[in-house]
Amino acid sequence: MIGKCKAIAHGSNALEYIFREGELGKTLLFHNLCGTMPKEIYEEMKMVSDYNTRCRNKFLRIEIGIAPQDEKRLSLVSVRNLASNFAIRMGLANHQWVAVTHKDTDNMHIHIIANRISLYGEVYDTTFMSNRAARVAEELSRKHGMTIAKEVKAKRLHQKPKANPTREQTKQQVQKICYALLDRYKGTGITGHSMFLYDLSKSGVTIERLKNKQGKIYGLKFAYDGQTFKASEIGREFGYHSLQKNFEISNKTEPKKATTMADELAKNKIQSHTGYQLVPPSRPYTSPANTNESSSIAQAVGNMANTAINAAEEIISGAGGLINPQTHGDDYAETAWQHRLRNQAKKKKKRGRGL
């Protein structure tokens, strides 16, 4: 047996659903209710729940699943007692609720719709409500000797993965064919991809492209000997994008030579001794062959320097001592400005003498 519980706001629709004729099995119990129809039950529950204006989800929906092997040995009275015990253990003794059975699926199950607001105006606490329902279902299953859902689930988890030996054997054959052809044509470009698909079809393996609603391909499916497998079952190399990358031609480049610490130290030592060179290493410096040529060049350079110095001294003396050769930087601009002011003053004096 398994139990589920959830707080809902659509109490009217939930009551209409559980009393639907096509799905209704047996009406089990009406607790703290007078009406027997969905509309009547909802009005009674609404009268109580309207006293609480802050609660939003004012109804509880409980489902109790019963295993097929237990359904055969349960009578109607046993099912009623089971529903009543479940509701009481969930703490709904002072609440309004109705329980019915459904047979719309292969397994019989019980529906309970309860008012979350009690007859005394208390709001049902929904903290860990689903865990509470599962625990109550397990307790009742142990008490009445019924199947426990948790144990059934644990048994399924520990089942052998190779449940179908024929399918597993076929999958191994497909893997062997696909990996052998992939090793043969890997990294050979479009031609290798085409040959891979051609040899697969010759071996009896067909590939189907899976598309979504927008028409885009999102995966591959392999078929062989009446069995179909997803690409992930064959291997991670056979996905839609992974398979295309396997056929890309790789550009092989020579690896760089590894440098040792000794090589680095020797290189740094050579650079430290060379220093800054005026002449690049590709153009070695050649000294003049004749010392006479070098002396004549030096004498010519010295004469040009003396001539330039003498010319500068004459210009300074002709300026009347207005320019101070010791000034540097921004003092040149200041000196020029003062010189201009004095020239303007001299011109005004000359004009005055003329008058």
Side-chain angles (χ1 to χ4, degrees):
M1 185 170 62
I2 187 172
K4 299 178 182 179
C5 186
K6 184 179 181 181
I8 60 174
H10 48 280
S12 177
N13 294 336
L15 289 168
E16 291 287 347
Y17 169 74
I18 66 171
F19 279 95
R20 198 168 296 166
E21 292 183 359
E23 299 175 352
L24 181 64
K26 298 285 184 180
T27 304
L28 298 177
L29 291 170
F30 298 93
H31 187 73
N32 293 330
L33 292 170
C34 297
T36 57
M37 301 301 293
K39 189 174 181 180
E40 299 172 352
I41 296 172
Y42 176 72
E43 292 297 333
E44 288 187 45
M45 290 185 176
K46 193 172 182 301
M47 288 176 60
V48 177
S49 61
D50 283 345
Y51 284 101
N52 190 302
T53 58
R54 299 180 61 184
C55 184
R56 297 183 60 184
N57 298 327
K58 296 184 178 182
F59 298 89
L60 299 175
R61 183 182 66 194
I62 300 174
E63 296 180 12
I64 306 171
I66 300 174
Q69 58 269 25
D70 297 331
E71 179 185 347
K72 299 176 181 179
R73 61 186 185 84
L74 288 178
S75 62
L76 181 60
V77 177
S78 300
V79 176
R80 282 178 179 170
N81 292 334
L82 188 63
S84 178
N85 292 334
F86 194 96
I88 299 300
R89 286 174 178 263
M90 287 292 292
L92 298 175
N94 296 325
H95 293 251
Q96 298 168 307
W97 53 266
V98 58
V100 299
T101 59
H102 270 193
K103 290 287 291 182
D104 55 332
T105 61
D106 295 337
N107 303 334
M108 183 183 72
H109 51 280
I110 304 171
H111 285 277
I112 298 177
I113 304 298
N115 193 349
R116 188 179 172 187
I117 312 300
S118 72
L119 298 177
Y120 303 101
E122 299 173 348
V123 181
Y124 185 83
D125 185 12
T126 58
T127 306
F128 301 114
M129 183 173 50
S130 296
N131 295 341
R132 199 183 314 154
R135 186 172 62 252
V136 170
E138 182 179 352
E139 292 174 356
L140 291 176
S141 298
R142 294 186 185 278
K143 181 179 178 180
H144 298 286
M146 301 173 65
T147 305
I148 301 174
K150 186 170 66 175
E151 295 180 356
V152 174
K153 184 178 180 181
K155 185 178 179 181
R156 290 176 181 175
L157 290 175
H158 291 87
Q159 283 181 346
K160 293 182 179 180
K162 299 179 181 180
N164 189 347
T166 304
R167 176 180 170 81
E168 290 297 322
Q169 186 178 2
T170 306
K171 185 175 74 173
Q172 291 177 3
Q173 294 176 0
V174 176
Q175 289 175 338
K176 185 177 180 181
I177 295 171
C178 291
Y179 275 107
L181 294 177
L182 182 62
D183 292 340
R184 183 188 302 176
Y185 297 111
K186 188 174 183 179
T188 56
I190 300 176
T191 304
H193 193 186
S194 302
M195 292 301 299
F196 173 80
L197 298 176
Y198 176 73
D199 287 349
L200 272 184
S201 62
K202 284 179 61 179
S203 302
V205 180
T206 57
I207 298 180
E208 180 183 351
R209 297 180 178 181
L210 304 177
K211 298 181 180 180
N212 56 17
K213 294 181 180 179
Q214 289 74 27
K216 295 183 179 180
I217 301 173
Y218 67 90
L220 300 175
K221 185 168 65 174
F222 292 74
Y224 180 76
D225 197 17
Q227 300 285 346
T228 58
F229 308 94
K230 294 186 296 184
S232 59
E233 295 183 80
I234 305 302
R236 64 176 61 186
E237 296 88 354
F238 300 98
Y240 177 65
H241 297 288
S242 303
L243 188 61
Q244 295 178 1
K245 292 181 180 179
N246 286 322
F247 295 99
E248 293 179 356
I249 301 175
S250 59
N251 296 324
K252 296 183 179 180
T253 57
E254 295 181 359
K256 294 183 179 179
K257 184 180 179 180
T259 58
T260 61
M261 183 65 69
D263 296 338
E264 292 290 337
L265 293 175
K267 184 178 179 182
N268 295 335
K269 185 176 181 181
I270 294 171
Q271 291 179 354
S272 63
H273 287 298
T274 55
Y276 180 73
Q277 298 179 358
L278 293 175
V279 181
S282 60
R283 295 182 181 179
Y285 175 73
T286 56
S287 60
N290 260 332
T291 57
N292 295 331
E293 291 182 3
S294 62
S295 61
S296 61
I297 293 172
Q299 185 178 0
V301 171
N303 294 334
M304 291 176 63
N306 293 331
T307 304
I309 293 171
N310 294 332
E313 291 177 351
E314 293 177 359
I315 293 172
I316 293 171
S317 61
L322 294 177
I323 301 175
N324 187 4
Q326 294 179 355
T327 57
H328 300 283
D330 296 336
D331 295 339
Y332 289 116
E334 181 66 23
T335 304
W337 174 251
Q338 293 177 3
H339 182 60
R340 185 182 299 176
L341 292 177
R342 291 177 183 178
N343 288 338
Q344 291 177 357
K346 289 180 180 180
K347 290 180 182 179
K348 288 182 181 180
K349 287 181 181 181
K350 291 180 180 179
R351 289 174 185 173
R353 290 175 184 175
L355 295 171

